[in-house]
Amino acid sequence: YNTLCVTVTQRVLFMKKFSAVLLISLIALLFSLPMLSGCGGGKVNYTLSDEGGKHYIVSCSGLTGNLSGEYEILSHFGEGEDYAPVTEIAEQGFSSCGFSKITVPETVTKIGTAAFSFSYFLKTVEFKDGINLSVLPHGAFGRCVSLETIVFPDSVVKTEGLIFSDCQSLKSVTLNSGLTEIGTRAFENCTALEEIVFPSSLKTIGTGAFYNSGLKEADLPESLQDTEDGRGIGYSAFNSCTNLETVRIRGGVQKITSGAFGYCKKLKSVYIPLSVKEIEGAYYKDGKFLHGHAFHNDEALTHVYYEGTEEQWKGIKIETKTAYENNLSLNNEAILKAAKHYNQK
């Protein structure tokens, strides 16, 4: 009986020790999972699709933040009958990944919404020559806070909204010659972006497109135009660009929209073409305030260079009433008081 009791007690103690060791091992394994390749550590996937012809859609899965360094997306994938081109980057496909550089092959024709968004370590995106990509989609590079440079493919005709929103390190942007539209809030809060060359093909700049960007000059092309579908210069397009000193608007634009150059505290000189018929005041929709006057709170504005005569200048409709919002006075007083220089080309 005593021997039996001792044996049972030893077994109970052994089982307790075994259970404790097993529990500790399991906890250690769970904490080490992110470090183990093939165990949710993040990988790039190529998914075969037959929709619209056999092709692959590329995306990341797992703990994508563990994907680091440079990565070149494959142009083709698969074997035998499944060998096909990689034509699409999935919606949020590389979102929050840890890559510092991504190269997009010439076979890609579609990039999904927010495809590279929140990739905090991404510094460079390179598009291979010959790529036939017409649209850079909504939020594609939003919050890529380390992104420094981007060169648009020659095939791009349109950027959708928020594409580079909050890319605070973006210093160099090369727009292609065929680009016709810059979307809403496309470059908002790109505070390191001091210079950009607008192509002569550009027709519209969206609402808030360069809001609070670091631009020092806005030399706008003659191709910008107001249409029934939109304005050449969108509402608040360059609002709060506090480093902006010079604005040159060329023929084609008939209205300088509400808030377009408002709160540009260093703006000194504005060049206005003969085509301009109206300089707008504050904009309300359904009784809700949305945008201030075209040149509100531009305290440094001292010179206006106008293409036409003094009489033609007097024919421009300029909103002179003051709006009061959030304890602020908003008006076009700056452009009304600035020295006018007529017959300027």
Side-chain angles (χ1 to χ4, degrees):
Y1 175 81
N2 289 338
T3 302
L4 180 61
C5 287
V6 170
T7 303
V8 171
T9 301
Q10 287 176 337
R11 287 182 177 178
V12 169
L13 289 172
F14 174 76
M15 291 303 295
K16 286 183 177 179
K17 289 180 180 179
F18 178 78
S19 298
V21 171
L22 181 61
L23 179 61
I24 292 171
S25 299
L26 285 172
I27 292 172
L29 179 62
L30 286 172
F31 276 102
S32 66
L33 279 177
M35 305 302 293
L36 301 176
S37 61
C39 296
K43 61 179 181 178
V44 178
N45 304 309
Y46 293 83
T47 304
L48 185 63
S49 173
D50 289 321
E51 187 176 344
K54 187 175 288 187
H55 66 281
Y56 281 92
I57 303 171
V58 63
S59 64
C60 293
S61 65
L63 298 169
T64 58
N66 290 343
L67 299 171
S68 60
E70 299 184 2
Y71 185 76
E72 182 169 342
I73 297 172
L74 300 178
S75 62
H76 291 76
F77 193 78
E79 297 180 354
E81 293 183 356
D82 289 338
Y83 183 77
V86 179
T87 63
E88 185 175 344
I89 299 174
E91 183 174 310
Q92 301 181 48
F94 285 81
S95 180
S96 302
C97 76
F99 291 124
S100 59
K101 179 181 178 180
I102 295 177
T103 302
V104 182
E106 68 280 1
T107 53
V108 169
T109 57
K110 181 181 179 181
I111 296 177
T113 299
F116 303 94
S117 61
F118 294 94
S119 294
Y120 295 140
F121 301 100
L122 187 63
K123 291 186 177 181
T124 306
V125 175
E126 180 181 325
F127 297 96
K128 284 293 189 73
D129 290 341
I131 193 169
N132 189 22
L133 187 67
S134 60
V135 177
L136 292 179
H138 190 89
F141 303 95
R143 291 293 293 172
C144 290
V145 295
S146 297
L147 187 66
E148 296 178 350
T149 180
I150 192 87
V151 177
F152 280 32
D154 291 339
S155 56
V156 172
V157 296
K158 175 184 178 181
T159 77
E160 294 183 341
L162 297 165
I163 182 170
F164 297 104
S165 177
D166 296 312
C167 291
Q168 299 162 3
S169 299
L170 189 61
K171 297 178 181 178
S172 176
V173 175
T174 302
L175 304 179
N176 61 301
S177 59
L179 185 68
T180 62
E181 181 179 344
I182 295 176
T184 298
R185 299 166 61 190
F187 293 91
E188 73 169 359
N189 298 326
C190 291
T191 51
L193 184 62
E194 296 183 352
E195 181 181 2
I196 194 166
V197 176
F198 296 100
S200 59
S201 56
L202 191 64
K203 295 182 179 180
T204 59
I205 297 175
T207 296
F210 291 88
Y211 179 87
N212 193 39
S213 75
L215 291 182
K216 293 184 176 180
E217 179 179 274
D219 194 349
L220 307 180
E222 193 168 353
S223 55
L224 288 180
Q225 54 187 270
D226 295 331
T227 66
E228 293 182 1
D229 299 326
R231 305 290 183 87
I233 304 173
Y235 295 115
S236 294
F238 297 89
N239 195 284
S240 298
C241 291
T242 54
N243 291 322
L244 190 65
E245 296 183 0
T246 305
V247 170
R248 294 183 179 87
I249 305 171
R250 304 183 191 279
V253 173
Q254 298 180 44
K255 293 183 179 182
I256 302 180
T257 53
S258 301
F261 302 99
Y263 206 66
C264 295
K265 296 169 66 175
K266 293 183 180 179
L267 183 61
K268 298 176 181 177
S269 303
V270 177
Y271 293 76
I272 296 178
L274 195 59
S275 61
V276 169
K277 307 300 180 187
E278 183 177 356
I279 297 174
E280 295 184 330
Y283 177 68
Y284 294 81
K285 185 175 182 180
D286 298 327
K288 182 180 179 181
F289 173 81
L290 294 179
H291 306 281
H293 291 54
F295 292 94
H296 73 82
N297 300 96
D298 292 341
E299 52 200 42
L301 184 57
T302 51
H303 295 281
V304 173
Y305 298 88
Y306 179 58
E307 187 177 11
T309 64
E310 183 175 1
E311 285 300 312
Q312 288 171 315
W313 173 262
K314 291 179 180 179
I316 296 176
K317 180 183 178 182
I318 303 176
E319 179 58 72
T320 58
K321 294 180 181 179
T322 297
Y324 299 93
E325 291 293 331
N326 298 321
N327 297 320
L328 292 176
S329 300
L330 306 172
N331 53 53
N332 280 319
E333 186 175 301
I335 200 163
L336 292 169
K337 289 186 174 181
K340 309 300 188 299
H341 308 273
Y342 302 109
N343 299 308
Q344 303 292 312
K345 298 294 182 182

